[in-house]
């Protein structure tokens, strides 16, 4: 089995703030990995680094064997929040078709019949075809999330990244969304940031426990141990021990 993502000695800094430090992580193809950890622990930064939206301060990232900025095939991405004008006159079908827009878009672009077939197929799979003509500002939270997932999948990615995809939806919609992701995982790699421990135990094949450093990567643990690991960082459960000093300490040692 090939690796979907390979991260080696990754550190990311925003000015003087360390967001990620010395991350080593391998995600296999068709894995369903849940990224968990406290707020401000670097989870969203990790996804953005995989996407190539954030440049490493140190280390390397390979996606399907290539650097993120040289990928021949896009990565599907559903961000943590999607702010838009709810009065903007675009319906569900057109929003999903935006995922088919090519790079270097020219004026008066017209979607092909294949583009439209892909959008239709995704709407049917995510059970939103009956909403195809509805203006997106009229959707519920769960409906909107399924539209955003469909838009991300319209580019036919091998990897789908999702940042808190069920943060603002009800329990029934949450279950529907993760059932869809489980089905999608049969053919693509899924990496999802979540605070929902039920998702971790029910859907994830592997978990990544993150708080600036990588404290655990492997099979999901029993709930009580998992909570302790993510928010208490029990030393006994650490499977990725730190082997290098933080960047700031190394600079101080060098200057001394």
């Amino acid at each position: 089995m090939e690796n979907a993502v390979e991260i080696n000695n990754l550190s990311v800094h925003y000015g003087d703030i360390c967001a990620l430090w010395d991350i080593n992580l391998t995600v296999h193809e068709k894995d369903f990995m849940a990224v968990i950890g406290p707020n401000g622990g670097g989870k969203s930064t990790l996804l953005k680094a995989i996407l190539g939206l954030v440049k490493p301060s140190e280390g390397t990232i390979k996606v399907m064997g290539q650097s993120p900025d040289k990928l021949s095939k896009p990565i599907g991405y559903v961000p943590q929040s999607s702010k838009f004008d709810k009065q903007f006159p675009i319906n569900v079908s057109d929003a999903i078709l935006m995922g088919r827009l090519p790079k270097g878009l020219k004026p008066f672009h017209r979607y092909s019949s294949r583009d439209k077939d892909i959008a239709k197929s995704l709407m049917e799979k995510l059970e939103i075809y009956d909403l195809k003509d509805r203006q997106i500002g009229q959707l519920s939270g769960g409906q909107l999330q399924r539209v955003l997932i469909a838009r991300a999948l319209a580019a036919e990615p091998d990897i789908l990244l999702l940042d808190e995809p069920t943060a603002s939806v009800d329990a029934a919609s949450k279950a529907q969304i993760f059932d869809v992701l489980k089905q999608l995982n049969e053919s693509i790699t899924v990496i999802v940031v979540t605070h929902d421990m039920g998702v971790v135990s029910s859907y994830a094949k592997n978990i990544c426990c993150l708080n600036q450093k990588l404290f655990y990567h492997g099979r999901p643990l029993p709930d009580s141990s998992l909570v302790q690991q993510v928010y208490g960082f029990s030393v006994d459960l650490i499977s990725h021990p730190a082997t290098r000093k933080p960047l700031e300490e190394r600079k101080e040692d060098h200057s001394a």
Side-chain angles (χ1 to χ4, degrees), residues 3-255:
N3 295 330
V5 179
E6 295 181 31
I7 299 175
N8 293 295
N9 305 126
L10 173 70
S11 293
V12 175
H13 287 72
Y14 298 115
D16 294 331
I17 299 173
C18 177
L20 294 172
W21 170 61
D22 205 26
I23 305 298
N24 290 281
L25 178 67
T26 298
V27 182
H28 297 297
E29 279 192 279
K30 297 184 182 178
D31 194 358
F32 192 127
M33 188 178 78
V35 183
I36 58 177
N39 291 332
K43 302 184 299 297
S44 296
T45 296
L46 179 66
L47 296 191
K48 291 177 181 177
I50 294 171
L51 287 162
L53 299 177
V54 171
K55 299 299 181 183
S57 302
E58 290 190 357
T60 61
I61 299 176
K62 296 290 184 183
V63 180
M64 306 302 291
Q66 299 177 301
S67 61
D69 58 348
K70 294 182 179 179
L71 285 175
S72 57
K73 200 170 186 181
I75 301 173
Y77 178 49
V78 180
Q80 187 171 16
S81 62
S82 182
K83 296 181 180 179
F84 59 89
D85 181 359
K86 291 192 175 183
Q87 302 305 315
F88 190 76
I90 185 171
N91 61 28
V92 166
S93 180
D94 288 337
I96 293 170
L97 279 167
M98 289 176 65
R100 298 292 302 169
L101 291 174
K103 291 183 179 179
L105 180 65
K106 296 180 179 180
F108 309 109
H109 175 78
R110 300 188 66 174
Y111 294 109
S112 67
S113 57
R114 183 170 183 271
D115 292 336
K116 295 175 182 178
D117 287 344
I118 288 172
K120 180 182 178 182
S121 175
L122 288 169
M123 285 188 284
E124 291 173 342
K125 179 176 285 190
L126 276 75
E127 299 182 356
I128 51 175
Y129 185 71
D130 60 324
L131 304 174
K132 63 185 177 67
D133 297 319
R134 186 172 298 184
Q135 193 265 341
I136 55 174
Q138 300 174 353
L139 302 176
S140 69
Q143 290 168 341
L144 178 59
Q145 284 302 98
R146 279 184 278 174
V147 170
L148 296 178
I149 291 171
R151 184 181 66 177
L153 292 171
E156 301 179 287
D158 292 321
I159 303 173
L160 179 63
L161 309 183
L162 307 100
D163 196 349
E164 294 284 2
T166 57
S168 59
V169 304
D170 58 46
S173 295
K174 183 183 298 184
Q176 290 173 349
I177 288 170
F178 275 97
D179 283 342
V180 167
L181 294 178
K182 185 175 182 179
Q183 292 176 358
L184 293 170
N185 182 230
E186 294 176 4
S187 57
I188 65 174
T189 304
V190 176
I191 301 175
V192 56
V193 168
T194 181
H195 283 291
D196 193 324
M197 298 303 172
V199 166
V200 172
S201 60
S202 300
Y203 296 93
K205 297 176 182 176
N206 288 286
I207 62 171
C208 165
C209 301
L210 192 66
N211 187 9
Q212 293 185 313
K213 296 185 293 183
L214 180 61
F215 283 83
Y216 180 85
H217 175 228
R219 304 293 292 178
L221 302 168
D223 284 357
S224 59
S225 298
L226 181 60
V227 172
Q228 183 181 16
Q229 172 64 27
V230 178
Y231 297 100
F233 300 113
S234 171
V235 175
D236 292 339
L237 295 178
I238 293 175
S239 66
H240 283 246
T243 58
R244 301 162 69 195
K245 293 182 179 180
L247 183 61
E248 291 83 355
E249 292 181 21
R250 282 182 269 146
K251 287 180 177 178
E252 290 176 4
D253 288 351
H254 182 72
S255 62

